[in-house]
Amino acid sequence: MDVTEILEYCQMKKGVEETFPFNPETLVLKVGEKMFALIPLEKQPLTISLKADPEWSAALREQYSQITGAYHMNKTHWNSVVCEGLKKELIFEMIDHSYDLIVNSLTKKKRELLENLKY
């Protein structure tokens, strides 16, 4: 799996915007002006930080050595995922989960605006 596959997958979701608020190497994907994924573009192997439910985070971290608490983030709610060795379906499931958590945290007005967007 490479960064292009991840970006293409994320870009299919409604309202996703790509930003570089921290530095020119860290791509931040947002929905409704809130982060749901961070990708350090220069880091090898490919790593992505994703938001997750704390219980699911704990289970993932126990099951996969590639999943740990995200650097510089709230480690209860954010995972750092080294994509190497993980199934693409699991990575996509974690991206979906992160995106959905953020969408569900948006105000009703922002969710309505998002629902009215075309892909």
Side-chain angles (χ1 to χ4, degrees), residues 1-2 5-6 45-50 56 59-68 79-95:
M1 171 159 256
D2 64 19
E5 279 183 281
I6 289 174
L46 175 61
T47 303
I48 183 170
S49 293
L50 298 165
W56 195 40
L60 289 168
R61 292 174 193 177
E62 284 180 25
Q63 189 171 2
Y64 302 99
S65 62
Q66 300 97 319
I67 302 174
T68 59
N79 287 323
S80 180
V81 180
V82 176
C83 296
E84 192 173 274
L86 293 177
K87 291 186 178 186
K88 185 185 304 190
E89 295 79 19
L90 176 61
I91 295 167
F92 288 163
E93 181 181 3
M94 289 187 288
I95 290 170

Side-chain angles (χ1 to χ4, degrees), residues 3-20 27-39 48-50 92 94-103 106 110-111 113-119:
V3 71
T4 303
E5 279 183 281
I6 289 174
L7 289 176
E8 287 174 357
Y9 185 78
C10 291
Q11 290 165 344
M12 292 188 307
K13 298 183 171 302
K14 282 189 174 187
V16 171
E17 100 179 88
E18 298 176 14
T19 66
F20 289 89
L27 174 61
V28 176
L29 300 168
K30 295 181 178 182
V31 60
E33 300 175 3
K34 290 187 173 187
M35 299 185 300
F36 74 93
L38 292 89
I39 306 170
I48 183 170
S49 293
L50 298 165
F92 288 163
M94 289 187 288
I95 290 170
D96 292 343
H97 180 73
S98 183
Y99 176 88
D100 291 343
L101 281 173
I102 297 303
V103 168
L106 297 175
K110 284 188 179 182
R111 280 194 313 271
L113 288 171
L114 189 61
E115 289 169 10
N116 293 326
L117 287 177
K118 296 187 185 218
Y119 288 95

